[in-house]
Amino acid sequence: MRWLGVCLLVGVLLSGTAPAQEPAKQDTQRENEELRRKNEELERRNAELLRKLREREEGALGGRPTAREDAQMTPPAEVGGPTPSIEAAPAAATSGSSPAEGKPAQGKSDGVLLGDMLVTATRGEAAFRTLGSTISVVSASALEESRTDEAIETLRDLPGIQIVRTGLKGGLTDVFTRGMNSNHTLVLLEGFELTRDGGQMFELDSFTTDGLGGAELLRGPQSALYGSDAMGGVINLRARRGAGPPRAKVSFQYGSYVTNHEKLDIQGGDPTFDYSLATSRFEQADGRFNNSQYRNVGALGRFDYRFNEKTSLLTLVRVQEDNLASPGNSSGPRFGPEDPDSHAEKDTTLLGLDFGHWVSAWWDAHLQVSHFTLNGDNFDRPDAADPFGDFQALSEYRKRIVHQYNRLHPVDWDTITVGLEYEDQELEEISNFTPGGTEEKRKDQSIYMQHELNYRDFVFLTGGFRYDDNESFPEPELTFRVAAAVMFEDTKTKPRASVGNAVVEPSFFATFDTQFGNPALGPERNFGWDVGVDQWFFGERLRVSASYFENDLEDSIQFRVVQLAPVFIGTFDNFGAAETKGVETEAHWQVGEGLLCEQDAVTASGSWSWLDTEITESIVPDDPSFPVGGSLLRRPRLTGSFTLDYQVKDSWGLNFNFNYTGRRKDRSFDFAREAAVGAREVVDSHARADLAGYWSVPWVPGLKAIARWENISNEDYDEALGFPAQRSTVLGGLEYELKF
């Protein structure tokens, strides 16, 4: 099936290049029509610009325009046209991983408009209309209107991704992109890596929305651009960029389960320096079960400094500390006895620097340096839930990356990205099971190249490769990716396709553990392809997207039991294989403005995904966790979401969100229960509805009453079998913004 994806990609290219064979007269007519269309669009936007300027002069808008207004007040750029001038360099050189300034995720359009700029698909600014990759966006406005404090809650609404949390707030969270394993999705913060060795993800468990300017989800194998770990896709959390006059926002909330939440947010900017700093404290003192309290304290800062019109520096700092009590053992509190004293502590730090310099009008050079640390402590005393004795595990993980890349624009129709990356990882770990401890290091050196070709602003082709020399690989790995899109302007239709392969390195534990490790482990591999279409309606106010994908996972790492008695012996091997396929759909609709009153706006969005997984190879063919012919655990076949948002400018707003998760297979890992009911159980489907809103207090400028109600129907459900989710919770309070 993998070559079917290649054939479909070629078909998209051929369909797009066919017009090149038309007579010259038809070419001229089409070019004239395209020029006429663009002139009409320019006139429309200029008229809108004049209207907004008049409103500002009359005091109707006041202050700095929103990101959506900024986008609408900017004349449309010619995609594939003249390269950025040196005068444009400051805006393009200061966004960390790309020259997009964080605006794509901050716009109000939620990825609806053809010209919306995204960065994750190409590591540089690219209009949505030009991308052959499958990508979804969460905007800054969607983040604010949802009033959620957790990043994972904003990702649940996107197609092609399943999020499974082991119970309550702060619990271990798995993210399955297109059915791939949780360690197959690379997580970035403004282009800087947040994943651990082997793609292990511990940050999304408790990552807050403080200081975020949106998110982008890029689906499909992405190792050609991002290296190891990007087997199923990439999540890029966008750090908000400060702008405008200085302002500070403080909020206090109180709610269910004796919950307190305090936030402080400061931002501003001028032609030389932009700053954004957000910090918060969240504490839940009395959870659903005994010993289920949770505390989170953290901060995220982004600072952009422009030395001159050519040179800039982005500094990103994130720190966070979590303390989580765990009410159950490995089977969870629903089936096993409650654990009165198990708890875990985690602290993380990320420091990222991006030095950008326009060497010339066609050469944008960047040097990125990042340092990521994740330290964890886990403690548990012997009790009815864990009768085997004390358990304690301490770990210290460090990742350092030096990344130099260049965005070259030699001609109007070609953009070339060339990069070099050096990565150094260290892990120190000790526990009851490994009294000698583990202390290991490894390095990865890579080079990559990407071309973005534009034929007459009609056919768009992106292709690239990457060469990784990772010390954990038996030999260097070469990965590739090709994506194509054809944009039919008359009908606002964009068919697209992509194909590529990817790898992920084995974890330190699987490779080096003194009892179970296998130093001969190689990388896990994936070959994937997708085809899809994006369609715009009603003057780009509505976008509908649909995609079909397939993945072929090979050399999946499994644990193999060598001997049970008299001494238990086991190890890890590259032996598993699986296939995933599915359909993803989403829609975003700017319903209208002034529907019920002059200042209101209504938006709606929704997604629906169908997923099918099958295990094709296993060390033990009838292993309950990985049986040949069975489905992968915890992957629902059907998922869906719907969001409706109503806002009255500077007055009040409501945001309604609905999520559906279908039936899926799972294990309780309670051996007595598995002996009675079977190892693989079917977990029932569930639905959750949330409501959020605000009201501006009219007699106190800058003061709002804010609230969020989660799980309105008080449904009792498990995302992971045996780990009940939070019941209905309400959190409300006051928010005050002071402008200087």
Side-chain angles (χ1 to χ4, degrees):
M1 291 295 290
R2 66 174 61 184
W3 297 113
L4 175 60
V6 178
C7 294
L8 289 171
L9 179 63
V10 173
V12 171
L13 287 175
L14 291 177
S15 70
T17 55
Q21 307 301 321
E22 295 176 354
K25 181 178 179 180
Q26 295 183 14
D27 278 351
T28 302
Q29 291 176 345
R30 190 187 63 191
E31 291 172 358
N32 289 338
E33 178 63 22
E34 178 69 10
L35 182 60
R36 181 191 63 77
R37 185 195 64 79
K38 291 183 177 180
N39 285 336
E40 290 177 353
E41 177 68 10
L42 181 60
E43 291 174 359
R44 183 184 69 80
R45 296 202 179 188
N46 283 339
E48 180 71 6
L49 170 62
L50 292 175
R51 181 184 69 80
K52 291 183 179 294
L53 289 176
R54 284 195 298 269
E55 288 180 350
R56 180 182 295 184
E57 291 173 357
E58 295 168 0
L61 292 178
R64 180 181 173 84
T66 65
R68 178 185 180 184
E69 292 163 348
D70 278 338
Q72 292 175 338
M73 294 168 65
T74 303
E78 292 291 333
V79 178
T83 56
S85 65
I86 293 298
E87 287 73 15
T94 57
S95 74
S97 62
S98 73
E101 294 191 272
K103 284 186 180 180
Q106 293 182 18
K108 182 73 173 178
S109 64
D110 293 329
V112 174
L113 301 179
L114 285 162
D116 280 356
M117 291 296 178
L118 308 178
V119 302
T120 310
T122 61
R123 277 200 189 269
E125 189 177 62
F128 189 93
R129 67 191 299 278
T130 70
L131 297 176
S133 299
T134 307
I135 190 167
S136 298
V137 177
V138 177
S139 71
S141 60
L143 280 177
E144 182 176 2
E145 290 151 8
S146 70
R147 298 287 163 182
T148 181
D149 60 295
E150 297 180 282
I152 62 167
E153 295 301 324
T154 68
L155 300 174
R156 291 184 188 274
D157 299 334
L158 303 180
I161 186 172
Q162 295 84 36
I163 295 175
V164 179
R165 170 182 277 171
T166 53
L168 310 178
K169 194 179 273 291
L172 184 65
T173 303
D174 289 326
V175 176
F176 304 119
T177 304
R178 290 185 166 176
M180 303 295 285
N181 292 337
S182 189
N183 65 314
H184 295 164
T185 300
L186 178 65
V187 180
L188 309 173
L189 176 59
E190 198 61 34
F192 299 105
E193 291 192 17
L194 288 173
T195 45
R196 245 191 66 166
D197 53 296
Q200 297 177 91
M201 200 184 318
F202 294 98
E203 276 298 86
L204 283 183
D205 306 347
S206 54
F207 204 107
T208 69
T209 56
D210 302 326
L212 291 186
E216 296 177 15
L217 171 62
L218 176 63
R219 300 188 288 281
Q222 306 294 334
S223 287
L225 194 58
Y226 289 100
S228 178
D229 306 345
M231 284 233 313
V234 177
I235 297 172
N236 188 14
L237 303 172
R238 305 302 309 278
R240 181 193 60 207
R241 181 169 183 168
R247 56 193 183 278
K249 185 185 297 184
V250 61
S251 65
F252 303 90
Q253 296 183 80
Y254 180 82
S256 307
Y257 300 112
V258 194
T259 299
N260 295 277
H261 190 203
E262 302 90 33
K263 298 174 62 175
L264 174 63
D265 194 324
I266 301 171
Q267 64 168 311
D270 58 36
T272 301
F273 182 59
D274 298 327
Y275 56 92
S276 170
L277 176 63
T279 181
S280 70
R281 175 186 176 274
F282 180 96
E283 183 172 13
Q284 191 173 82
D286 184 16
R288 178 177 176 180
F289 302 96
N290 293 326
N291 193 44
S292 60
Q293 60 270 22
Y294 172 66
R295 182 173 60 85
N296 175 308
V297 180
L300 171 61
R302 171 175 174 163
F303 310 94
D304 296 87
Y305 183 77
R306 287 170 292 279
F307 296 93
N308 51 49
E309 70 275 9
K310 297 182 181 180
T311 309
S312 61
L313 175 67
L314 161 69
T315 302
L316 191 74
V317 180
R318 180 177 184 270
V319 294
Q320 185 163 309
E321 181 180 293
D322 305 286
N323 192 308
L324 171 68
S326 178
N329 58 17
S330 60
S331 302
R334 188 177 294 279
F335 303 129
E338 292 188 18
D339 194 318
D341 52 33
S342 175
H343 73 279
E345 297 176 0
K346 178 183 68 175
D347 63 85
T348 61
T349 303
L350 172 67
L351 172 62
L353 301 174
D354 184 302
F355 179 78
H357 178 69
W358 283 86
V359 180
S360 69
W362 56 270
W363 181 359
D364 179 20
H366 285 260
L367 176 64
Q368 287 186 338
V369 180
S370 66
H371 181 82
F372 172 62
T373 64
L374 191 155
N375 302 325
D377 301 339
N378 293 270
F379 305 93
D380 194 10
R381 297 185 181 89
D383 47 54
D386 297 289
F388 300 106
D390 282 324
F391 173 75
Q392 181 175 356
L394 307 174
S395 65
E396 294 183 5
Y397 173 78
R398 293 176 291 277
K399 177 188 285 187
R400 293 173 287 268
I401 297 178
V402 179
H403 176 208
Q404 199 283 318
Y405 72 96
N406 306 274
R407 297 273 292 172
L408 310 174
H409 312 272
V411 291
D412 293 350
W413 46 267
D414 187 14
T415 298
I416 304 171
T417 304
V418 180
L420 301 169
E421 191 170 66
Y422 171 84
E423 179 181 286
D424 183 319
Q425 302 180 77
E426 296 181 48
L427 176 65
E428 298 179 32
E429 194 167 41
I430 187 170
S431 72
N432 299 49
F433 299 116
T434 56
T438 300
E439 185 174 352
E440 297 294 342
K441 301 179 181 180
R442 69 175 168 213
K443 300 176 182 178
D444 181 24
Q445 302 173 81
S446 58
I447 181 172
Y448 65 89
M449 184 176 185
Q450 174 186 263
H451 269 273
E452 300 166 59
L453 302 174
N454 175 353
Y455 175 71
R456 297 191 176 186
D457 202 16
F458 175 59
V459 178
F460 305 94
L461 177 65
T462 301
F465 70 90
R466 185 182 183 107
Y467 178 87
D468 273 286
D469 186 6
N470 191 308
E471 289 184 342
S472 65
F473 297 167
E475 58 185 17
E477 292 287 333
L478 184 67
T479 53
F480 81 97
R481 180 170 176 80
V482 179
V486 181
M487 186 65 220
F488 297 96
E489 289 286 355
D490 291 342
T491 60
K492 294 294 188 291
T493 305
K494 185 187 76 173
R496 50 180 165 75
S498 67
V499 61
N501 68 335
V503 296
V504 62
E505 65 184 9
S507 68
F508 276 117
F509 180 80
T511 306
F512 300 116
D513 182 72
T514 54
Q515 186 173 0
F516 304 119
N518 179 2
L521 281 177
E524 297 181 300
R525 307 174 190 278
N526 178 40
F527 178 90
W529 60 271
D530 60 35
V531 293
V533 62
D534 301 313
Q535 179 66 59
W536 285 262
F537 301 94
F538 310 135
E540 301 181 30
R541 299 185 71 88
L542 170 64
R543 173 172 65 85
V544 179
S545 300
S547 305
Y548 175 82
F549 68 86
E550 290 192 6
N551 287 301
D552 186 2
L553 172 63
E554 298 178 345
D555 297 329
S556 178
I557 296 175
Q558 288 185 272
F559 186 76
R560 175 170 59 90
V561 177
V562 178
Q563 175 182 295
L564 287 173
V567 178
F568 180 82
I569 300 175
T571 189
F572 293 91
D573 277 326
N574 292 102
F575 199 86
E579 296 176 353
T580 75
K581 58 184 178 181
V583 176
E584 305 160 342
T585 63
E586 66 177 316
H588 298 270
W589 187 16
Q590 296 176 8
V591 180
E593 299 176 352
L595 299 181
L596 301 180
C597 66
E598 184 177 354
Q599 294 290 319
D600 73 357
V602 181
T603 59
S605 62
S607 69
W608 176 87
S609 300
W610 172 81
L611 174 68
D612 181 61
T613 67
E614 181 181 0
I615 298 165
T616 56
E617 293 183 36
S618 179
I619 291 178
V620 181
D622 58 352
D623 178 1
S625 293
F626 209 79
V628 172
S631 60
L632 294 170
L633 294 178
R634 296 182 176 176
R635 274 70 157 186
R637 183 174 288 265
L638 296 176
T639 55
S641 72
F642 173 74
T643 301
L644 180 65
D645 185 78
Y646 180 81
Q647 303 285 324
V648 178
K649 184 177 178 63
D650 297 329
S651 181
W652 62 277
L654 286 175
N655 182 276
F656 174 79
N657 178 259
F658 176 84
N659 269 278
Y660 171 82
T661 301
R663 290 154 58 94
R664 63 273 185 206
K665 296 288 185 67
D666 204 346
R667 291 188 63 183
S668 67
F669 297 96
D670 183 309
F671 300 119
R673 177 181 174 84
E674 291 189 350
V677 303
R680 291 172 67 89
E681 299 185 51
V682 176
V683 182
D684 289 336
S685 61
H686 68 267
R688 193 185 98 178
D690 303 328
L691 184 66
Y694 80 93
W695 175 63
S696 294
V697 180
W699 52 85
V700 183
L703 182 64
K704 292 180 179 179
I706 57 176
R708 177 175 170 85
W709 183 8
E710 295 184 353
N711 195 2
I712 296 173
S713 62
N714 199 32
E715 184 167 356
D716 186 12
Y717 66 93
D718 296 2
E719 290 185 9
L721 182 62
F723 293 86
Q726 200 88 286
R727 300 297 290 266
S728 183
T729 61
V730 177
L731 192 66
L734 296 175
E735 175 185 278
Y736 180 69
E737 182 175 19
L738 178 63
K739 298 180 180 180
F740 299 95

